[in-house]
Amino acid sequence: MKRDRDEAEEEGNEERNKRKMEIVWQTPAHPAQKQDYVFHNGKRHVRPYYFEFVSHVNKRWEGKTIVDLFAQEFRGRSRDYYVSAVKCGRIQVDGENIPVSYIVKRCQKISHFLHMHEPPVMACDVEVLQNEPDVLTVCKPASVPVHPCGQYRKNTVLGILQAEYGLAPLYPIHRLDRLVSGLLIMAKNPAKADSFRQHIEAGLVQKQYVAKVVGVFLDAEVGISNGDTTLKGKAACTKFTRISTNGIHSIVLCEPVTGRTHQIRVHLQCTGHPIANDMLYLSDDVVNRSTLGTTADRAAALSGGSPETSCESHKEEYKYCSEDFSIDPMCTHCPNLAPNGYDGHEEGLWLHCVRYTGPEWVYECPYPDWASLT
């Protein structure tokens, strides 16, 4: 009798979960809206929403059961969760419900329907600098990714610009890491984006950043190339010039000749003057990584500085209440607004893009507050 009751209860739970799925599942085609964002404790949050993640079976996945595939490849959730998700139709293959023992085949479409909780970012406005017929430039806040990636979809520069200004589609023409702030140039059409790409590939574009670094930087132009340090074996070169110093920190103009991942950060470390709140590249004699963790604001505190990466936002402060969004019974993040694992301390790097110059064009961005050493 107990087994019958348990089976009946499990069937009832699965049926309730199926009814919960009778909602609008969002895809990348759904644009961000103003009402999607809430502001709380200096952070921009996104109201949780339902989202369909789509992937296709590759050679490595082929021949695995659907549960084994998710348990081995996507370890952010438990195996029991994936079993339940398959049973209630939250995981489908080619648009159809399948049993937990189903073996996937090459190129099949796999859909995973999730209650999406995006990580918060700093509650800064994305300031429009220039709005031309074919080009838009903005001052990108630190901590905000440029385009959808990983857990970020709406909490991105492209998502915010579409929601708050109705600006879409946009085509970013250069990379700017999530923790870096400053000038971001976007084309408004593919033809203009291709024109910028040709200038960049031909080596006709000059880039300038400012960084706040540890110590007194040399009062002379310094050049670092891959002869001094390597970036995955690729050629890399950056020129540095000191702008100012207060004896504790220096503001340095950084001019990357090439464009490698973390190039400026690696090359500044090579000079002995890493970015003063960059936990990834601060040497052990500047700050003890093991005791501080990995956030920029904590690193800054022990290198003689202060976070200084906060920014003003003109958005109304949100009075947090978990009843303001639907609680999903299968969601591993509910009832919290932010996803599990987010500690709330992350801030931006003291690295800021200030100017891009090309053939007969130049775009600039104001210096950040932390670039003043008064």
Side-chain angles (χ1 to χ4, degrees), residues 153-165:
R153 305 204 70 83
K154 299 182 180 183
N155 245 351
T156 61
V157 173
L158 295 184
I160 293 167
L161 287 173
Q162 184 169 23
E164 297 188 349
Y165 298 95

Side-chain angles (χ1 to χ4, degrees), residues 140 142 176-177 179-182 209-212 240 252 254 262-265 268 275 277-278 309 348-353 368 370:
K140 184 188 97 63
L176 211 56
D177 290 344
L179 294 180
V180 178
S181 60
Y209 293 71
V210 290
K212 184 175 181 177
F240 299 106
V252 177
C254 314
H262 291 193
Q263 176 176 319
I264 295 174
R265 298 165 68 182
L268 282 170
I275 295 172
N277 68 344
D278 189 348
T309 48
L349 287 174
W350 287 335
L351 180 61
H352 184 88
C353 182
W370 53 253

